[in-house]
């Protein structure tokens, strides 16, 4: 165990030196360093790191609701719940950490907002310059569970000016004005606020001044791409006025709550490859 701010966290180091740090609060990935020592995650210098609020940065785990698309707390309660470390180890160059959360683990307010029994497993697998995050949701109840899920990943991009996302040309998306459009350009650049929901291909590429990351997903239905831009950033208490220039979020997501049958399991896989 290590301390990250005031949060207990677990750190793993792979054979080649790649490293990941995950807080029990939210099973929240706070840092991912590839074997070259380069930090790939952005965490705001203004975020709470004491469990009193969700963390602004890293990988917030979104469950069972995306944003305000449901009756519960914004982006769900998983990012504000304390998970259990249920596995760790490694072999053959891979290292992993596994966290679990079930209905009995919830704080009273979250439990009161959610009448469905469930069991979550989140597994981080590190090897070389690849991070995989497998997210399993098991409906342990006797009725359908309305399921939305996402990994709200904040990438450290150095500077927004040199950043783009490719692989989305011709994809349909909904923007923050709720217009549904088709992306014409080969790459998305960030000259203003972006909050887009893509019905999109299985992989996209994040290009920054000094890195290329290939992002793949299976089991999810959308990619959400978000940067708040200058005005929204100024209005956020847990983000510095200029910090929006340092990150973008690219999120594998199952945005709308869709029923997961009693006894059934859903698995979302996300693979991030840096080179
Ligand atoms: O994923 C994009 C988004 O849903 C945006 O609409 C924006 O509000 C953001 O997430 C951050 O939400 P948060 O609750 O973490 O402030």
């Amino acid at each position: 165990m290590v301390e990250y701010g005031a949060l207990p966290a677990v750190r793993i180091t792979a054979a080649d030196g790649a490293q990941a740090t995950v807080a029990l609060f939210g099973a929240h990935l706070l840092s991912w360093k590839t074997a070259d020592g380069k930090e790939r995650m952005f965490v705001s210098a203004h975020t709470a790191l004491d469990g009193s609020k969700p963390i602004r940065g890293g990988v917030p785990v979104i469950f069972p609701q995306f944003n305000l698309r449901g009756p519960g707390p914004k982006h769900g309660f998983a990012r504000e719940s304390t998970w259990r470390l249920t596995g760790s180890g490694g072999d053959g160059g891979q290292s992993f950490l596994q966290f679990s959360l079930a209905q009995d683990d919830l704080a009273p307010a979250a439990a009161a907002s959610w009448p469905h029994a469930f069991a979550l497993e989140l597994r981080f697998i590190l090897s070389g310059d690849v991070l995989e995050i497998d997210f399993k949701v098991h409906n342990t109840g006797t009725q359908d569970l309305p399921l939305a899920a996402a990994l709200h990943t904040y990438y450290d991009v150095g500077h927004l000016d040199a950043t783009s996302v490719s692989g989305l040309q011709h994809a349909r998306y909904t923007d923050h004005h709720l217009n549904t459009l088709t992306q014409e350009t080969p790459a998305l650049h960030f000259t203003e606020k972006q909050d887009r929901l893509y019905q999109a291909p299985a992989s996209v590429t994040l290009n920054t001044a000094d890195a290329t990351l290939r992002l793949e997903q299976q089991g999810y239905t959308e990619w959400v791409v978000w940067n708040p831009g200058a005005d929204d950033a100024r209005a956020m208490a847990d983000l510095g006025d200029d910090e929006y220039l340092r990150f973008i979020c690219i999120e594998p997501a199952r945005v709308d709550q869709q029923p997961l049958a009693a006894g059934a399991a859903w698995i979302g896989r996300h693979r991030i490859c840096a080179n």
Side-chain angles (χ1 to χ4, degrees):
M1 278 291 177
V2 295
E3 289 261 303
Y4 190 103
L7 295 172
V10 190
R11 180 165 293 152
I12 44 168
T13 306
D16 60 8
Q19 202 173 68
T21 307
V22 183
L24 294 178
F25 178 68
H28 198 120
L29 181 76
L30 296 157
S31 166
W32 170 38
K33 289 183 182 162
T34 38
D36 56 7
K38 191 170 159 45
E39 178 60 66
R40 306 292 174 162
M41 295 289 111
F42 165 84
V43 177
S44 168
H46 300 262
T47 189
L49 289 171
D50 58 4
S52 64
K53 292 197 182 66
I55 297 165
R56 178 72 62 203
V59 183
V61 176
I62 307 302
F63 169 88
Q65 166 180 325
F66 188 84
N67 205 319
L68 298 173
R69 294 170 180 246
K74 186 181 179 195
H75 283 318
F77 50 72
R79 65 177 179 168
E80 294 185 84
S81 297
T82 299
W83 294 52
R84 285 168 286 119
L85 176 67
T86 48
S88 66
D91 67 293
Q94 283 196 338
S95 297
F96 77 94
L97 286 174
Q98 182 177 297
F99 297 85
S100 301
L101 184 75
Q103 202 183 20
D104 288 350
D105 300 318
L106 298 184
S113 75
W114 182 251
H116 304 278
F118 66 91
L120 307 184
E121 264 176 32
L122 191 73
R123 187 179 265 250
F124 298 89
I125 305 155
L126 262 187
S127 65
D129 289 335
V130 177
L131 173 67
E132 197 172 310
I133 310 176
D134 293 343
F135 189 7
K136 183 173 174 189
V137 180
H138 185 194
N139 179 354
T140 53
T142 54
Q143 290 175 348
D144 284 359
L145 175 157
L147 167 64
L151 299 173
H152 200 303
T153 309
Y154 288 71
Y155 291 98
D156 185 337
V157 296
H159 200 287
L160 205 55
D161 284 352
T163 300
S164 66
V165 180
S166 50
L168 293 165
Q169 192 174 25
H170 309 310
R172 299 280 287 167
Y173 68 91
T174 305
D175 69 11
H176 60 278
H177 302 297
L178 300 181
N179 298 315
T180 298
L181 301 160
T182 299
Q183 182 165 314
E184 304 296 344
T185 54
L188 173 65
H189 295 268
F190 296 86
T191 50
E192 57 187 347
K193 168 180 174 168
Q194 297 291 359
D195 194 352
R196 294 187 176 188
L197 178 62
Y198 286 91
Q199 310 296 323
S203 70
V204 296
T205 302
L206 167 61
N207 312 292
T208 70
D210 59 359
T212 303
L213 271 71
R214 182 177 163 84
L215 318 182
E216 298 170 358
Q217 56 155 296
Q218 276 172 29
Y220 296 93
T221 43
E222 288 102 4
W223 290 106
V224 178
V225 180
W226 178 61
N227 176 275
D231 292 346
D232 285 11
R234 261 196 298 278
M236 293 163 70
D238 57 357
L239 191 70
D241 287 356
D242 292 335
E243 282 188 315
Y244 77 96
L245 295 168
R246 289 195 31 222
F247 76 87
I248 64 168
C249 291
I250 309 179
E251 313 159 33
R254 169 174 160 139
V255 160
D256 288 319
Q257 286 183 323
Q258 308 272 0
L260 179 67
W266 168 86
I267 296 178
R269 295 189 197 282
H270 185 33
R271 187 173 188 275
I272 310 164
C273 180
N275 47 36

